[in-house]
Amino acid sequence: MAGSDPVTGDATAMTTNQLLSPNKAGRGLGSGSATCRSLPLPLALPFSILEHIGRGTFYCVWYLAFYVLCMFRPFTGLMMLASIVMVPVSIVVYAHPDAARGMPFWSFGLMSIGLVACALAYTIFLDWFTPPGTADPFERYRKGR
C-alpha cells in the first residue's frame, strides 16, 4: 500500500520522510515560515499555565481539606464513648420509662449504633480521602496510637 509502514504494514502509520515530503498541493508538514512552525508553543503555553494553576489549586484544596478533617478525628473517639454510654442509658429507660420523657428505650440503642457507624464511616472516609504521601498531621497529639 502507498501510505503503509513497511515494517508493521499499518496503513495509518507514516514515516518521517512521508510526513515531511510535499503532498499533492505542494506543501508538506515541514514547509512554511519559522513563525508557523513555532506557533503551537505560544498557543499551548497559556493552556499549560492554566492547567498547572488548576492542578496546584486542586492539590492545595485537597491538602487543606484533609488537614481540617484530621482536626475533627478526635470527635470520632468521643462518638464511640457516647455510644458506650448509651447502652446503660437504654437499660435505665427500659426500667424507668418516665426517665426519658416519652422516648422509647430502643431509640437509645439506635443512637448508639448510629454513633458507632458514623465514627467508623468518618474514619474510613478520611483514610480514603488522604492525599498521596501524606500522614495524619495530628497523630503526634494522640497518646493511644
Side-chain angles (χ1 to χ4, degrees):
M1 291 194 285
S4 67
D5 187 12
V7 176
T8 61
D10 187 11
T12 58
M14 298 182 76
T15 63
T16 307
N17 291 334
Q18 290 171 337
L19 285 173
L20 294 178
S21 65
N23 55 12
K24 291 181 182 177
R27 305 181 96 180
L29 188 63
S31 65
S33 66
T35 307
C36 290
R37 282 193 299 254
S38 65
L39 193 59
L41 180 63
L43 285 177
L45 187 62
F47 294 108
S48 178
I49 290 171
L50 284 175
E51 176 189 359
H52 284 82
I53 288 173
R55 189 172 293 185
T57 303
F58 172 74
Y59 279 109
C60 285
V61 169
W62 189 8
Y63 278 81
L64 182 64
F66 175 71
Y67 184 81
V68 170
L69 289 174
C70 280
M71 286 191 318
F72 292 113
R73 190 176 271 194
F75 289 111
T76 60
L78 290 175
M79 291 169 73
M80 295 294 270
L81 182 64
S83 68
I84 292 170
V85 170
M86 288 290 180
V87 175
V89 170
S90 174
I91 295 169
V92 168
V93 171
Y94 179 73
H96 303 286
D98 57 338
R101 296 191 177 235
M103 284 183 72
F105 73 95
W106 48 266
S107 64
F108 292 96
L110 287 178
M111 279 189 266
S112 175
I113 292 170
L115 286 170
V116 168
C118 186
L120 291 176
Y122 186 80
T123 303
I124 291 171
F125 170 74
L126 201 54
D127 289 340
W128 171 78
F129 188 73
T130 303
T134 307
D136 188 358
F138 299 103
E139 187 73 30
R140 60 181 175 256
Y141 299 116
R142 289 192 287 275
K143 293 179 184 178
R145 290 186 166 190

